[in-house]
Amino acid sequence: MASLHCQLRRIGAILLAGLAGGLSATSVLASGQLPPRPVPAQHFADFETCLEHLKAVQRADMAGVAEGAVADGENRTRQKLVDGDGIVRVGEQNARYQARVGNQFRVTDRQKGVIETTFSYEDTTLECRGGELTGSVISGYMLPGMEPLPEASKPQ
């Protein structure tokens, strides 16, 4: 049943893409997601120690973002992207961290005159309640999007 549902979604996305074929903007046709994976619960001495752990996770997630797009082979770039609420305090002894950390790959195909973009990500949600840390991670991806090369980059 799920397979039929996925096929119908894909067909719908293809039809929608066909209707929008004249648009030059990047379009994502569909995406996929794995079920949530629980993060093993951890016990810290107190809320402040748990909160420091959330801050360390956030720092690790942000590492490399400032670099922007970097070469990752011939005609290919990789860029780490982070989006989300970050750390939000909810009361005196509760805090939550939520972020989508992903890698965007862009491949330039000068022969076809397009740039293909793919994106895969992990949505992480962690929560400190006192000294108890719980959470989950969801992995996902978006199907490739295409955009025309800027005129200056096309072969003559």
Side-chain angles (χ1 to χ4, degrees):
M1 187 73 154
S3 177
L4 177 60
H5 177 70
C6 289
Q7 289 175 345
L8 291 175
R9 280 187 59 191
R10 185 169 177 96
I11 290 169
I14 291 169
L15 291 173
L16 184 60
L19 291 173
L23 300 177
S24 64
T26 300
S27 61
V28 175
L29 300 179
S31 61
Q33 213 171 49
L34 296 174
R37 298 182 318 269
V39 172
Q42 295 182 45
H43 179 73
F44 295 92
D46 54 27
F47 172 71
E48 291 303 321
T49 307
C50 189
L51 183 59
E52 284 304 313
H53 178 75
L54 293 183
K55 291 177 182 177
V57 170
Q58 184 176 32
R59 281 191 302 274
D61 285 350
M62 294 302 294
V65 171
E67 294 174 19
V70 295
D72 188 46
E74 190 174 334
N75 298 322
R76 177 174 147 143
T77 61
R78 174 189 48 80
Q79 183 172 5
K80 184 176 184 181
L81 301 170
V82 177
D83 185 34
D85 299 332
I87 298 172
V88 177
R89 299 271 311 242
V90 184
E92 200 171 303
Q93 292 289 306
N94 293 334
R96 183 174 194 204
Y97 173 70
Q98 185 280 318
R100 172 173 282 185
V101 179
N103 284 298
Q104 173 181 276
F105 294 93
R106 293 173 55 87
V107 178
T108 301
D109 186 333
R110 295 193 193 292
Q111 293 290 353
K112 294 180 182 176
V114 297
I115 300 171
E116 180 179 3
T117 303
T118 58
F119 184 70
S120 59
Y121 63 88
E122 286 193 338
D123 280 336
T124 301
T125 302
L126 300 172
E127 188 168 355
C128 288
R129 292 183 184 170
E132 297 295 320
L133 175 78
T134 59
S136 64
V137 176
I138 298 172
S139 297
Y141 64 92
M142 294 181 189
L143 290 180
M146 300 284 209
E147 67 184 270
L149 274 174
E151 289 299 319
S153 300
K154 289 185 180 177
Q156 300 299 326

